[in-house]
Amino acid sequence: MKSSEHRFQTFFEPFRIKSVEKIQHTTRAQRIQRLEEANFNPFMLNSEDIIIDLLTDSGTGAMSSDQWAAIMKGDESYAGSPSYRKFEAVVKEIFGFRHVIPTHQGRAAERILFQCSLKEGDVVPNNAHFDTTQANVEKRGAKAIDLPVSEALNPEVCTPFGGNMDIKKLTELLSNGLKEHVTLVMITVTNNATGGMPVSMENIRMVSKICRSRGVPFFLDACRFAENACFIKMFEKGYTHRTPFEIAREMFSYADGCTMSAKKDGLVNIGGFLAMNDGQLADKCRQELMISEGFLTYGGLAGRDLEAMAVGLRESLEEEYLQYRVGFVKMLADLLKEHHIPVLMPPGGHAVYIDAAAMLPHIPREQFPAWALGCALYVEGGIRCGELGGVMFGRDDKGLENGHELEDGKRELLRLAIPRRTYTESHMRYTAEVLEYVNRHKNEVGGYRITWAPAVLRHFSAHLEPIFPPNQEHENGFGIEGR
């Protein structure tokens, strides 16, 4: 018999499941009631009322048996814990930066970095800021500027590195009157705000060269660095035979530092860090850390969390895991394409993004089509997703309660973020089935209006209400007959 090696094409997860969590099923009527009680904001729903939770991939994944074993070794000393030294060694091994500052999650690392490096009137270019990054920049009175490549803004263009920063626009920005105000430049890998697409090594290298020639610090938002490294290996010439670890080391060699939410590619439920080479800036950041987060060697985390991160950061770079991770996301994207759902292609490594404006063209942008689609998915199938559109990124410069001016370059996207090592293929097939059903009845889905919202990060806690289409007489108010 010939060797069977490499002959089998069946895809399966590179792990066995040792512990399971029960999914609580709900009826459609119950879900309508829950959504009304939550002021039509999926963030405000109780998690036990969700069947498939694709709201975020941040801190929602499953940890490995090695991580759980490491947790038992956590040393909870207030200062000088060996768990910190183990964590620090792994971060230096992978990321290569001289100074490592633990934080409880990524937004704490962002806040500390910007608190210590920005002032009012400063400018921070990024390939695309995500919500908390932008909020932390603006809290300092600085301006967050997005410089995505044009391909990232065109759903008709399919490019492997749609997460790249526009080099021409960055050069122009650093050559005009704003040059003196650019305190640092950031690139988010992968580019979550524009579809989760990766950034090429060439683009990172070019941005680094521009920044270093002008003396501007260059940081990476590294929360999905391993997935980005996997795409570089898959699509960029010269990297096919490099390991994800080697690719990651090269990525970070071009930067002066990074922020990291380890709740993504650290494969943990809580944790993050700030790392850099500049000793003076690191000292300022450590002082800021101690004011709000904790001592230098725990940064708001337990020793057990540091131990789990140390293991998870290494596991995220394993090739078998990354092939599964990227392939699993692509499987869902392909299922949705088969059902004629308009998704951004190629998919990124952590989520599938639906072009809600294209799927629901009858809902005007000021009525938030992505939000409407997310609510419809919950009502019809108990699936919770995240909106990247007018509610998240909209502006209200006039102080009006229902402002909806959407920033340039932002689209109406619904993100199906897939927790790591958590769901199976049948969960994704169910998700595709629900979306296909909603798509068949899409003309019966109506828009939404904001009735109350906070000034910052409004999508987390805003109150909305449905705008019922004319002649809609269904007593449930959602326009789609029950499944």
Side-chain angles (χ1 to χ4, degrees), residues 74-138:
D75 181 277
E76 305 305 337
S77 301
Y78 184 88
S81 168
S83 296
Y84 168 74
R85 294 196 298 274
K86 187 182 298 183
F87 160 74
E88 180 189 41
V90 171
V91 173
K92 287 185 174 181
E93 175 190 2
I94 296 173
F95 297 82
F97 300 117
R98 289 192 286 270
H99 304 280
V100 179
I101 302 170
T103 62
H104 78 273
Q105 62 183 72
R107 70 188 64 178
E110 295 168 353
R111 187 196 66 77
I112 291 169
L113 174 63
F114 298 146
Q115 178 73 27
C116 296
S117 59
L118 298 183
K119 61 183 182 303
E120 189 169 352
D122 282 346
V123 172
V124 180
N126 199 320
N127 53 348
H129 292 81
F130 204 61
D131 54 355
T132 60
T133 318
Q134 179 173 321
N136 274 305
V137 169
E138 293 176 347

Side-chain angles (χ1 to χ4, degrees), residues 446-478:
Y448 281 77
R449 66 169 65 91
I450 295 174
T451 60
W452 175 85
V456 179
L457 296 172
R458 67 182 185 177
H459 55 293
F460 286 137
S461 55
H463 297 179
L464 292 93
E465 65 181 12
I467 301 170
F468 301 138
N471 304 319
Q472 179 172 300
E473 297 179 355
H474 296 296
E475 62 179 15
N476 57 48
F478 286 90

Side-chain angles (χ1 to χ4, degrees), residues 17 44 55 68 107 139 195 281 307 313-314 349 448 465 479:
I17 299 169
M44 307 305 291
L55 181 69
W68 284 110
R107 70 188 64 178
K139 188 174 184 292
L281 178 58
E307 293 274 358
L313 286 167
R314 283 201 175 110
Y448 281 77
E465 65 181 12

Side-chain angles (χ1 to χ4, degrees), residues 132-196:
T132 60
T133 318
Q134 179 173 321
N136 274 305
V137 169
E138 293 176 347
K139 188 174 184 292
R140 295 294 297 153
K143 185 176 183 180
I145 294 181
D146 292 346
L147 302 177
V149 291
S150 59
E151 299 94 308
L153 308 177
N154 186 350
E156 303 301 320
V157 176
C158 185
T159 178
F161 293 109
N164 283 352
M165 177 178 276
D166 191 311
I167 297 298
K168 181 179 178 182
K169 289 182 179 178
L170 176 64
T171 303
E172 291 173 351
L173 182 66
L174 292 173
S175 301
N176 64 20
L178 290 178
K179 175 184 176 182
E180 301 303 320
H181 297 283
V182 178
T183 307
L184 63 87
V185 173
M186 294 192 77
I187 283 186
T188 305
V189 292
T190 54
N191 195 348
N192 191 13
T194 60

Side-chain angles (χ1 to χ4, degrees), residues 48-69:
E48 59 266 32
D49 294 325
I50 310 299
I51 296 176
I52 305 291
D53 202 344
L54 307 180
L55 181 69
T56 180
D57 63 315
S58 180
T60 55
M63 290 200 299
S64 69
S65 56
D66 286 342
Q67 287 178 290
W68 284 110

